[in-house]
Amino acid sequence: MSSIHVFPENDPDTLVRASRDPAEIAAILREVGVRFEAWEASFSFTPSAPAEEILAAYREPIEKLCREGGYPSVDVARLAPDPNDPAWPAKARAAREKFLEEHTHGEDEVRFFVHGAGVFYLRLAGQVLAVRCARGDLLSVPAGTRHWFDMGTQPDFSAIRFFGTPEGWVASFTGDAIARRFPDADALTRGAPW
């Protein structure tokens, strides 16, 4: 389920606003220049489904958004538990750590979730907005926005990523440890203490 939790940037213990209503989430994010939409996620995939199959299933909305936003490339980012891989816990931790540091991008970060969920933390207008994106959610984080992403300790998601450059995901890390001070994705999903 999608949700938003809004905290003052300097006070991770104070919840200013929260909602699970997609229309309200979109309105809150629109106030700070972020696009959030609930799209139809009409196809289901196994964790091992080839990226080509996912991209083919959503070809029409992908092509439309690529035209609108001028995105020359797309791919599929995903992580799913593999009980047959003894190295899975270490791989999951390493993948999670990569995105947990606050960073920015020189282009918009656009994601459409087709399976599972993850939390984007956006640092805007003196606030941290924790946006839990789930299956069917489209989020577009404007270029230059300070943010981080948490997939939780048991990552299980697939998202179509849209890029304005052929290089794909390129981050500039801020060096600020802010991400360590805020409730992580697991805490937000549990709802405690919020």
Side-chain angles (χ1 to χ4, degrees), residues 160-183:
I160 298 172
R161 305 187 301 178
F162 296 79
F163 297 107
T165 62
E167 293 82 28
W169 194 86
V170 178
S172 297
F173 292 91
T174 67
D176 192 321
I178 188 171
R180 306 296 178 188
R181 297 191 297 269
F182 281 80

Side-chain angles (χ1 to χ4, degrees), residues 1-148:
M1 173 177 281
S2 310
S3 65
I4 189 167
H5 294 78
V6 182
F7 304 90
E9 173 179 315
N10 297 318
D11 187 359
D13 297 321
T14 300
L15 181 64
V16 175
R17 201 169 175 188
S19 178
R20 289 189 172 145
D21 174 38
E24 187 173 1
I25 294 168
I28 292 168
L29 291 171
R30 197 169 28 255
E31 291 172 10
V32 292
V34 176
R35 178 181 180 178
F36 177 88
E37 296 174 3
W39 280 17
E40 181 68 34
S42 50
F43 302 96
S44 294
F45 303 97
T46 64
S48 61
E52 296 78 21
E53 182 180 327
I54 294 169
L55 295 172
Y58 288 101
R59 184 182 55 79
E60 287 182 30
I62 288 171
E63 288 177 355
K64 181 179 183 219
L65 188 57
C66 284
R67 281 191 306 273
E68 288 174 7
Y71 305 117
S73 62
V74 297
D75 72 6
V76 176
R78 65 175 150 198
L79 212 51
D82 184 351
N84 300 318
D85 183 357
W88 162 250
K91 289 178 183 176
R93 278 192 303 278
R96 183 179 189 214
E97 286 300 315
K98 177 180 179 180
F99 301 108
L100 273 179
E101 298 300 323
E102 184 185 65
H103 59 277
T104 64
H105 300 288
E107 64 178 349
D108 294 352
E109 183 165 357
V110 184
R111 303 291 180 262
F112 172 55
F113 281 77
V114 297
H115 169 79
V119 180
F120 278 90
Y121 293 79
L122 313 176
R123 188 176 180 186
L124 291 160
Q127 302 173 333
V128 169
L129 300 94
V131 184
R132 184 175 189 273
C133 294
R135 185 172 186 254
D137 291 339
L138 174 81
L139 181 73
S140 180
V141 179
T145 301
R146 291 176 164 235
H147 68 283
W148 63 95

